[in-house]
Amino acid sequence: MDPERRFHVLIGAPLLVDHLPEGPCCVIDADQDQLDRLEQDLVVRPHAHGCELHCAVLARQVDAPIDWYRFNDRRWDGTLPLSCCRKGRPNLQLRDRSIRVGIELSALLDGLSMRVDAMQFLTVIVGQGDPLAVVEAGGDWLERIEALQLAAPDAEASWAQLLEARLQPLGFKRSRDGALVWKRTTGAMQRLCIRQLKLQRSALAEERDELKRYLQEAHDATEELERRHQEEMLHLKLQLEGMVQASVARIDLIRDLLEPRLEEP
């Protein structure tokens, strides 16, 4: 399968370039230090398909304040407090809590420097934060998500049921093997492909009509310039003929004045 067909969105940065999926990627992480480490690895070993990094916390609403918790094990960093994470993990400790200003996924993807083709579908891997923010604030990008995976620890207990309730009406089905992966059904993907093709055809038709309008305007402008040119040339011709006639008349007048004097003895 062509790796360029999918665009991968990773929420929670991997440690190394080796852990990036095959295909173009956007990596979102709340920890700039982690992104810096990944960026250094990308300098040494560039990702073959391109990778763009963004430090952000995804929110369900634009500019929403987010309680962000950091632990001694960064895999647990996110929006859930220690009381929701510590069951069976006595060594897990809270490092700090901060208020972060969230950004909607749609706004972040709209601002990407990388170009995402209209026929590229998204796979989203949520390793930190609130996965419902992907659904609630995905905007038009939500329709292009082909698969969504939960990769955070204890995601089954914390998020799976809530996510299932939101994704099922959108044409997603959870993997039968129990993995925390939801994929759109074949029918939903076919309808999405048809819709994208119709949008592309409509856009091409608009470009064609715009080009025809431009060519017609250029043709009309050329004809107008030609008409004005002909008018100016006619005007210059008449002026020149008038000047010639006036010069001839002056010559005739001078000749008439000089001839009597020339005839005198």
Side-chain angles (χ1 to χ4, degrees), residues 238-256:
L238 294 175
Q239 280 186 325
L240 183 58
E241 289 176 348
M243 292 172 63
V244 170
Q245 290 175 359
S247 297
V248 170
R250 284 196 294 270
I251 292 172
D252 290 343
L253 178 60
I254 293 172
R255 184 183 60 193
D256 291 344

Side-chain angles (χ1 to χ4, degrees), residues 11-132:
I11 306 169
L15 294 174
L16 301 170
V17 173
D18 296 340
H19 300 155
L20 292 172
E22 188 178 6
C25 299
C26 169
V27 178
I28 306 167
D29 198 292
D31 188 345
Q32 184 62 55
D33 290 340
Q34 179 60 30
L35 291 174
D36 290 342
R37 285 190 288 271
L38 180 59
E39 185 173 27
Q40 291 173 5
D41 196 24
L42 284 167
V43 171
V44 179
R45 300 180 297 164
H47 188 50
H49 305 279
C51 182
E52 188 167 327
L53 310 181
H54 288 271
C55 184
V57 173
L58 297 185
R60 304 186 194 185
Q61 296 179 345
V62 62
D63 295 333
I66 304 293
D67 286 326
W68 191 259
Y69 301 91
R70 294 201 308 160
F71 300 91
N72 58 332
D73 183 344
R74 70 174 304 272
R75 294 177 302 164
W76 295 86
D77 291 358
T79 58
L80 298 178
L82 181 62
S83 59
C84 296
C85 306
R86 201 167 188 176
K87 296 177 181 178
R89 295 169 183 83
N91 295 327
L92 188 65
Q93 297 179 3
L94 179 67
R95 290 175 55 192
D96 59 64
R97 170 183 173 273
S98 60
I99 304 296
R100 306 288 294 269
V101 178
I103 183 175
E104 293 178 315
L105 177 63
S106 58
L108 190 149
L109 294 180
D110 286 343
L112 288 178
S113 298
M114 298 177 66
R115 181 179 180 273
V116 185
D117 188 83
M119 292 307 294
Q120 278 182 300
F121 299 117
L122 273 61
T123 61
V124 180
I125 303 173
V126 184
Q128 69 172 205
D130 180 1
L132 289 177

